[in-house]
Amino acid sequence: MKKGHVLVIEDEKIMRVTLVDALLAAEYDALSCETGVEAEELLRDNDFDVIVTDVRLPDINGIDILRNLKARENAQFIVMTGYGTIKDAVEAMKLGAFDYLTKPFSLDEFLLVIEKACEIKDLKTQNLQLRQSLNKAYSLPNIIGESAVMGNVLSMVQRVAITDSTVLVLGESGTGKELIANTIHYQSSRKGKAIIRVNCAALPEGLIESELFGHERGAFTNAFKRKIGKFELAHRGTLFLDEIGDLPMAAQSKILRVLQEKKIERIGGTESISVDVRLIAATNKDLKEEVARGRFREDLFYRLNVVPIFLPPLRERKEDIPRLIEHFIEKNKDRLPMARFTPEAITALLKYDYPGNIRELENIVERCLAFARTNSIEAEDVMPYISVSDMGLSMNLKKLSKVVAEAEREHIIRILTENNGNKTRTAEILGISRKNLWEKMNIYGISS
């Protein structure tokens, strides 16, 4: 396999042939030409990783070639200059050349620069492909949700993504809050910059300030070098603070200050550093209740709650489960056996309430695929995973769950009977939605 495709533009024949021979011997594909016009012809039919051009050519200056081609050619440019024309090299670097070589130079030096240029070209190509993949992965059509409630969520995501507004994503664990944050970022004008993710619940209290705002060398014991914090890393991009409800009060006040002033100071530093950051926060806690209990700053809550997006639990959007199952099968097709879930298996999965939400459903699908004995997954294959949330629990606890289910069934029947079958009133007394009541009646075989 060739290392890369190189074009050499050099009017001096001996130099041109020598460079091309060296490239071919080093296992590069290489073409050459004498003039800028010939280079244009070769570029019409070839894609090059590296273009090496002399400054002095018969028909055009090499700097002009660089100026004309840099905007449209996805290649690394190397300029060859003669002694005394260093200013041309400086001009070339300003225009975006990867490097320059001053004649005379050794073939070893030449091949080393070519190798580095090809490595940079590969990295840029991989980075572009990764960004394109991320943009596609976090496009709105890739969020599974045909239910009405998810339709509302996707509509909000689409509208808020094009703004710079602060977003607060609310919902139980496992509902996909990070997916929503990523989608907002990759559908925004900031998608070319980084999204920096911070799990606030996982930060040790003594290191939170350093992680978020950074520190200077010698700011405290073991601060052996400067550390750039997450706010600085997210400059001109997005900062996603997951589980923000778990931040201690001291850190909350510092984040509030950053949101107000758009500036940070590293620990031990004296300089205020401006940061341009779009903030997305997420939590599974009720922040209004946390404010009432004195565990979350009210002023910070209002700063975060500019655009709230609530992600419904999976039990309230069960019509999305069949599509989610298909998605998880496709996601695992390269590492797990392919199998389909029978209608009976899907029916069984639809009756479960998923305390772990989408994350739990994904785990169930993955387990079923991993242990599938045939290419069909039956209801009996999924039952061990939905009878209790933890397979490691004992059989006695499974029996207990059955007792609880029977008690729930009898209680629903009693309330229905006392209210002459009025489902709306029964649902109000039970503290559940009418839809949830209907689902439970269906599961327990309670006739209307």
Side-chain angles (χ1 to χ4, degrees):
M1 183 176 178
K2 296 296 183 180
K3 294 178 180 179
H5 200 188
V6 183
L7 172 63
V8 177
I9 312 171
E10 168 63 69
D11 61 324
E12 186 182 333
K13 183 176 180 180
I14 294 176
M15 170 69 86
R16 185 174 67 253
V17 171
T18 300
L19 295 179
V20 170
D21 286 348
L23 288 167
L24 294 174
E27 299 185 341
Y28 291 94
D29 276 328
L31 294 177
S32 66
C33 61
E34 299 181 42
T35 67
V37 172
E38 292 173 344
E40 285 282 0
E41 292 176 359
L42 288 172
L43 286 164
R44 277 196 288 270
D45 301 321
N46 297 273
D47 290 322
F48 294 98
D49 298 306
V50 181
I51 297 174
V52 185
T53 181
D54 192 14
V55 170
R56 303 285 182 251
L57 295 170
D59 59 343
I60 190 173
N61 188 291
I63 300 298
D64 291 329
I65 289 180
L66 172 59
R67 185 181 288 109
N68 296 338
L69 298 182
K70 183 63 179 174
R72 63 181 175 87
E73 293 296 328
N74 187 27
Q76 297 298 302
F77 285 81
I78 297 171
V79 173
M80 298 182 291
T81 68
Y83 179 77
T85 57
I86 296 300
K87 69 176 185 178
D88 289 331
V90 173
E91 178 66 16
M93 298 299 285
K94 288 180 179 178
L95 290 171
F98 171 74
D99 207 343
Y100 68 90
L101 291 165
T102 303
K103 298 179 182 178
F105 50 81
S106 69
L107 289 178
D108 287 341
E109 182 183 0
F110 173 72
L111 291 175
L112 181 61
V113 172
I114 294 292
E115 181 181 5
K116 289 181 178 178
C118 284
E119 288 176 357
I120 295 298
K121 172 63 165 53
D122 287 343
L123 286 173
K124 287 187 173 182
T125 300
Q126 292 171 20
N127 187 46
L128 177 62
Q129 291 172 344
L130 176 59
R131 289 191 182 280
Q132 291 173 340
S133 175
L134 288 170
N135 290 340
K136 181 179 179 181
Y138 294 116
S139 64
L140 290 172
N142 283 326
I143 299 180
I144 309 300
E146 298 178 347
S147 58
V149 288
M150 282 305 295
N152 292 334
V153 168
L154 295 179
S155 177
M156 289 191 68
V157 168
Q158 187 173 33
R159 282 180 287 165
V160 78
I162 61 175
T163 75
D164 247 359
S165 298
T166 300
V167 179
L168 180 60
V169 187
L170 304 164
E172 297 177 7
S173 294
T175 50
K177 296 188 289 295
E178 184 170 351
L179 173 63
I180 294 298
N182 286 332
T183 301
I184 292 172
H185 172 75
Y186 287 107
Q187 298 304 307
S188 75
S189 60
R190 294 174 178 262
K191 64 184 178 182
K193 299 296 182 179
I195 175 171
I196 303 298
R197 303 167 185 86
V198 180
N199 186 336
C200 299
L203 291 177
E205 188 166 347
L207 296 178
I208 289 175
E209 190 174 346
S210 173
E211 285 294 318
L212 293 177
F213 310 114
H215 63 251
E216 297 290 352
R217 179 182 178 184
F220 49 82
T221 304
N222 296 328
F224 299 118
K225 62 181 180 178
R226 170 186 285 178
K227 176 182 175 67
I228 303 300
K230 298 299 191 288
F231 271 94
E232 277 188 85
L233 291 174
H235 182 57
R236 294 183 179 171
T238 302
L239 180 64
F240 175 49
L241 297 179
D242 197 9
E243 304 301 350
I244 196 167
D246 291 300
L247 273 180
M249 296 292 281
Q252 292 177 31
S253 64
K254 288 183 170 60
I255 288 177
L256 176 64
R257 182 184 173 193
V258 175
L259 293 177
Q260 290 171 337
E261 300 179 2
K262 310 295 184 186
K263 294 181 178 180
I264 61 110
E265 286 184 10
R266 302 190 193 108
I267 300 174
T270 57
E271 177 187 2
S272 290
I273 302 166
S274 296
V275 288
D276 173 16
V277 172
R278 200 258 181 91
L279 185 66
I280 302 176
T283 182
N284 58 11
K285 293 186 175 181
D286 184 339
L287 289 188
K288 286 185 178 179
E289 185 175 333
E290 294 296 297
V291 169
R293 294 185 176 184
R295 295 196 292 240
F296 201 85
R297 292 183 63 110
E298 185 176 20
D299 44 7
L300 178 58
F301 169 68
Y302 287 119
R303 280 280 180 177
L304 297 174
N305 199 40
V306 178
V307 180
I309 296 178
F310 176 73
L311 291 183
L314 188 55
R315 61 183 174 273
E316 293 181 7
R317 46 175 291 213
K318 288 190 174 181
E319 54 266 57
D320 293 331
I321 288 177
R323 279 284 314 279
L324 286 166
I325 292 172
E326 293 175 8
H327 171 71
F328 295 139
I329 292 173
E330 180 68 18
K331 179 179 177 180
N332 288 285
K333 68 179 181 181
D334 294 331
R335 65 186 191 89
L336 291 174
M338 287 290 287
R340 72 176 189 90
F341 285 69
T342 65
E344 294 76 15
I346 292 176
T347 299
L349 290 170
L350 287 170
K351 293 179 179 179
Y352 185 54
D353 272 349
Y354 301 96
N357 291 295
I358 297 173
R359 188 181 296 128
E360 183 178 9
L361 174 62
E362 181 175 10
N363 290 342
I364 290 171
V365 171
E366 189 170 333
R367 288 177 195 165
C368 289
L369 293 174
F371 293 106
R373 292 163 293 183
T374 66
N375 60 0
S376 290
I377 295 172
E378 306 289 343
E380 63 187 41
D381 298 318
V382 305
M383 290 308 295
Y385 308 128
I386 62 177
S387 56
V388 289
S389 59
D390 185 347
M391 286 186 63
L393 296 178
S394 67
M395 289 301 294
N396 288 335
L397 187 52
K398 290 183 181 180
K399 292 176 182 177
L400 179 60
S401 67
K402 185 176 180 180
V403 170
V404 171
E406 290 173 352
E408 186 177 54
R409 181 179 186 276
E410 291 175 5
H411 186 61
I412 291 173
I413 292 173
R414 182 171 66 82
I415 301 300
L416 271 170
T417 302
E418 289 176 357
N419 288 276
N420 299 317
N422 186 320
K423 298 184 184 65
T424 300
R425 178 60 181 155
T426 299
E428 289 176 354
I429 294 172
L430 293 173
I432 59 177
S433 67
R434 198 174 189 280
K435 178 184 175 185
N436 202 347
L437 173 62
W438 180 86
E439 290 172 345
K440 289 181 180 294
M441 289 175 64
N442 194 35
I443 291 171
Y444 294 138
I446 301 172
S447 61
S448 57

